[in-house]
Amino acid sequence: MPTNRQQFDDQLNTLRSALVEMGRKVEEAILNSVKALKETDLDLAQQIVDQDVEVNQIEEKIDEIGTTLIATQQPVAKDLRRILTAFKMASDLERMGDLAVDISKVVMRIGNDALIKPLVDIPRMAEIVQLMIAESIQAYMEENVDLAYKMAKMDDEVDHLYSQILRELFVFMVDNPKTVNQSLLLCFVSRYMERMADHATNIGESVVYLVRGHRPDLN
Amino acid sequence: MIQLMEKEDAATAADQRNEIVLDTRELNLWYGPEQALKNIALQMSEKQVTAIIGPSGCGKSTYIKSLNRMVEMNPLVRITGQVMFKKRNIFHKNYSVEELRTQVGMVFQKPNPFPKSIYENVAYGPRIHGIRKKKLLDEIVEKSLRDAALWDEVKDRLNENAYGLSGGQQQRLCIARTLSIEPEVILMDEPTSALDPISTLKIEELVQELKQDYTIVIVTHNMQQAARVSDQTAFFLNGEVVEFNDTVTLFSNPNDQRTEDYITGRFG
């Protein structure tokens, strides 16, 4: 029987705040990476790359607190699920941060070249992905299973946009081989965003696991 | 081929649905005017370990002591309901307590060896049951001590007084003493609460060994111990069973909020 339940609760709250902070940073990184792409803003892209280290540091902090709590508190039931969820979510958020960095690197590779077309579907995809991240974090904060399910549904739309973008870029490449280089980079960007949506869906699954104790397949 | 495999799986699953050895039905128990157990209903299967957890005064020790009718040593005790041991009600007037206790053995919180030699401690029960032949007694003593994982430590000093053993060894000696009369069920009332961590681990390993052959009920204050050693766990509170579940489920995703609050240390 842990006698220092208050201290344990404080630590669990620290884990929660760290995850929320991590979620905010990743959300911002994704928003900025798409902005940098649309506006070919190389400075902003560089800033995203530089700031990723902060996301990684929060993940390390979450790992450290969670490991200490398992070693010292022998958590069970929801306490245990809370810690396992924190590990899993931190890992998903960290991957999302990396994907924002990948998009920023694409921005840097495109450099000051003019875009082959005005971007429409990619920003739309970005908007949905961003909403998914925001709602997944909100679902986690409120332990709102319904919101987790609703958020995960948006993944279908992201998948739909992803294949639409690939088809469109494929036509571009066939019509004008000079666009192949940039088209491929934009294919990567849409792929990165499709992966982000999958990670957001994973977070939704983690929320359901936290609340109900079983992990559904929302993907 | 797949159909065959499915059939085999089904057969294995059927084998695993062990027979119910102890079936407690609407058990109520009073100490004078105080009701200590309320409508307890629990089923314990053959060769399974059942852990009983709960805060002090919740009735867990009373319950385990009722399973071999030791609780009746208190003259104020009044009982209603049934405990069916292999389909016979242990409280029935024709059921002799002696017969019950040869089949339902008990190990206590503090090791309580007799002030006799190690050998005599184990041979005592079989002797009472009329076994006189030295060779047979030797065999029983060796087998019981081996099964209690104590033989290698004491085989060269069987005639020494049991009080010379460490606490952990004494507790394993008491387990050997229980095994010597070949019971079907072993009741353990906080068997490691007076032991150091190493001795505790040895007893826990022993429980895992013993469940190959015995049905075990263990009362413990140590919830990690319940989680480690048992197949199913019952959570008692104020004389009632709040939750009886697979141990893994009870400790990872309990059904009842009171179970969750207790195992996560929010009360108790």
Side-chain angles (χ1 to χ4, degrees):
Chain A
M1 179 78 37
T3 51
N4 47 352
R5 180 72 224 190
Q6 185 58 49
Q7 196 194 342
F8 187 18
D9 281 336
D10 291 347
Q11 291 286 311
L12 287 173
N13 283 333
T14 310
L15 268 188
R16 187 184 138 99
S17 320
L19 275 175
V20 172
E21 189 194 350
M22 199 175 171
R24 296 233 163 90
K25 282 188 188 294
V26 169
E27 207 182 325
E28 191 188 319
I30 290 167
L31 175 81
N32 284 337
S33 64
V34 177
K35 190 168 171 227
L37 179 68
K38 272 191 342 196
E39 299 170 7
T40 49
D41 186 339
L42 301 183
D43 290 341
L44 186 57
Q46 185 60 48
Q47 196 184 316
I48 293 158
V49 175
D50 294 342
Q51 283 175 350
D52 186 53
V53 67
E54 292 170 23
V55 170
N56 296 347
Q57 279 167 351
I58 301 177
E59 190 198 16
E60 280 170 28
K61 181 177 153 193
I62 288 169
D63 278 357
E64 198 181 305
I65 298 173
T67 308
T68 306
L69 288 180
I70 287 175
T72 58
Q73 299 283 0
Q74 288 89 45
V76 292
K78 199 166 182 184
D79 293 335
L80 178 61
R81 298 204 301 275
R82 211 175 271 291
I83 296 168
L84 296 179
T85 301
F87 287 149
K88 179 88 175 66
M89 278 180 62
S91 159
D92 279 316
L93 287 169
E94 190 274 335
R95 289 294 306 137
M96 288 162 124
D98 286 351
L99 291 165
V101 167
D102 289 336
I103 294 176
S104 305
K105 286 182 177 165
V106 167
V107 174
M108 292 193 253
R109 283 185 67 178
I110 293 175
N112 290 319
D113 294 352
L115 289 173
I116 53 172
K117 65 179 274 298
L119 301 181
V120 180
D121 283 341
I122 286 181
R124 261 181 69 198
M125 207 173 165
E127 264 171 42
I128 300 170
V129 169
Q130 235 172 296
L131 187 61
M132 285 178 78
I133 296 166
E135 289 195 350
S136 65
I137 298 291
Q138 193 189 344
Y140 168 72
M141 285 172 66
E142 296 170 359
E143 298 189 7
N144 185 338
V145 170
D146 294 339
L147 184 59
Y149 274 97
K150 181 180 150 264
M151 176 278 300
K153 280 248 176 296
M154 287 192 264
D155 190 41
D156 294 342
E157 206 175 329
V158 172
D159 288 344
H160 172 71
L161 279 170
Y162 175 50
S163 45
Q164 190 170 306
I165 290 167
L166 290 192
R167 274 199 307 272
E168 193 190 6
L169 288 169
F170 183 71
V171 172
F172 257 85
M173 288 188 265
V174 172
D175 285 353
N176 182 359
K178 281 186 184 160
T179 67
V180 165
N181 190 30
Q182 202 181 98
S183 295
L184 274 177
L185 290 173
L186 292 175
C187 284
F188 287 148
V189 169
S190 52
R191 171 69 179 160
Y192 296 148
M193 283 193 291
E194 187 270 337
R195 294 301 309 149
M196 284 176 183
D198 286 346
H199 286 293
T201 308
N202 284 350
I203 292 177
E205 288 174 358
S206 291
V207 171
V208 177
Y209 172 72
L210 171 65
V211 178
R212 297 202 172 145
H214 69 88
R215 196 174 277 281
D217 186 7
L218 298 185
N219 208 337
Chain B
M1 183 64 194
I2 287 168
Q3 270 181 340
L4 262 180
M5 281 172 67
E6 277 173 357
K7 264 187 189 167
E8 272 183 17
D9 285 350
T12 320
D15 292 343
Q16 283 168 351
R17 274 197 301 275
N18 293 347
E19 191 191 339
I20 304 293
V21 176
L22 278 168
D23 185 359
T24 304
R25 301 173 182 176
E26 291 175 39
L27 181 67
N28 289 280
L29 186 145
W30 291 263
Y31 289 112
E34 296 291 329
Q35 187 165 8
L37 295 177
K38 298 168 192 165
N39 272 323
I40 306 294
L42 289 176
Q43 295 189 320
M44 290 150 189
S45 305
E46 191 181 20
K47 296 176 187 173
Q48 297 273 294
V49 179
T50 303
I52 315 264
I53 60 168
S56 298
C58 69
K60 56 189 189 303
S61 282
T62 298
Y63 174 67
I64 200 174
K65 283 178 188 151
S66 64
L67 295 179
N68 71 346
R69 293 178 57 183
M70 193 155 279
V71 75
E72 291 171 29
M73 287 163 82
N74 183 333
L76 293 174
V77 162
R78 188 165 61 84
I79 295 170
T80 65
Q82 299 176 322
V83 173
M84 308 299 285
F85 172 60
K86 302 183 89 177
K87 301 185 176 128
R88 281 178 68 201
N89 183 9
I90 63 168
F91 299 120
H92 193 276
K93 61 184 189 318
N94 292 339
Y95 208 133
S96 93
V97 171
E98 292 73 22
E99 184 193 345
L100 175 67
R101 291 190 190 149
T102 57
Q103 299 187 75
V104 182
M106 190 153 189
V107 177
F108 299 88
Q109 183 172 1
K110 283 197 182 143
N112 57 348
F114 305 131
K116 289 170 180 282
S117 71
I118 294 167
Y119 183 96
E120 286 304 322
N121 261 278
V122 184
Y124 185 85
R127 274 217 181 90
I128 285 186
H129 287 91
I131 294 172
R132 292 279 176 271
K133 281 186 184 155
K134 176 84 171 71
K135 189 162 173 281
L136 185 53
L137 280 173
D138 286 353
E139 280 172 17
I140 292 172
V141 169
E142 177 171 345
K143 181 170 190 315
S144 304
L145 287 169
R146 278 190 190 282
D147 288 350
L150 188 59
W151 175 252
D152 289 338
E153 292 163 54
V154 300
K155 64 185 177 203
D156 299 323
R157 47 175 174 146
L158 291 174
N159 293 318
E160 288 177 22
N161 194 296
Y163 284 1
L165 297 174
S166 73
Q169 288 171 328
Q170 287 187 16
Q171 192 62 304
R172 279 178 283 147
L173 179 65
C174 292
I175 292 172
R177 191 175 63 189
T178 304
L179 301 181
S180 68
I181 52 169
E182 297 184 335
E184 296 217 11
V185 177
I186 305 173
L187 308 175
M188 297 182 162
D189 191 1
E190 295 185 42
T192 64
S193 60
L195 304 182
D196 65 82
I198 303 289
S199 305
T200 297
L201 193 64
K202 279 190 181 162
I203 301 280
E204 287 182 8
E205 283 172 352
L206 183 55
V207 168
Q208 294 304 306
E209 287 293 315
L210 292 174
K211 81 172 216 190
Q212 314 288 327
D213 300 306
Y214 303 92
T215 304
I216 298 171
V217 184
I218 181 167
V219 164
T220 178
H221 262 126
N222 178 337
M223 280 182 290
Q224 268 62 50
Q225 178 168 75
R228 282 192 296 265
V229 305
S230 69
D231 302 298
Q232 46 192 0
T233 299
F235 169 50
F236 275 56
L237 186 65
N238 299 329
E240 287 177 87
V241 176
V242 169
E243 182 164 350
F244 182 45
N245 215 330
D246 278 355
T247 295
V248 173
T249 306
L250 191 131
F251 282 97
S252 60
N253 191 17
N255 289 331
D256 195 291
Q257 186 61 40
R258 290 169 293 174
T259 314
E260 171 104 24
D261 288 346
Y262 179 68
I263 63 174
T264 56
R266 285 184 171 81
F267 75 84

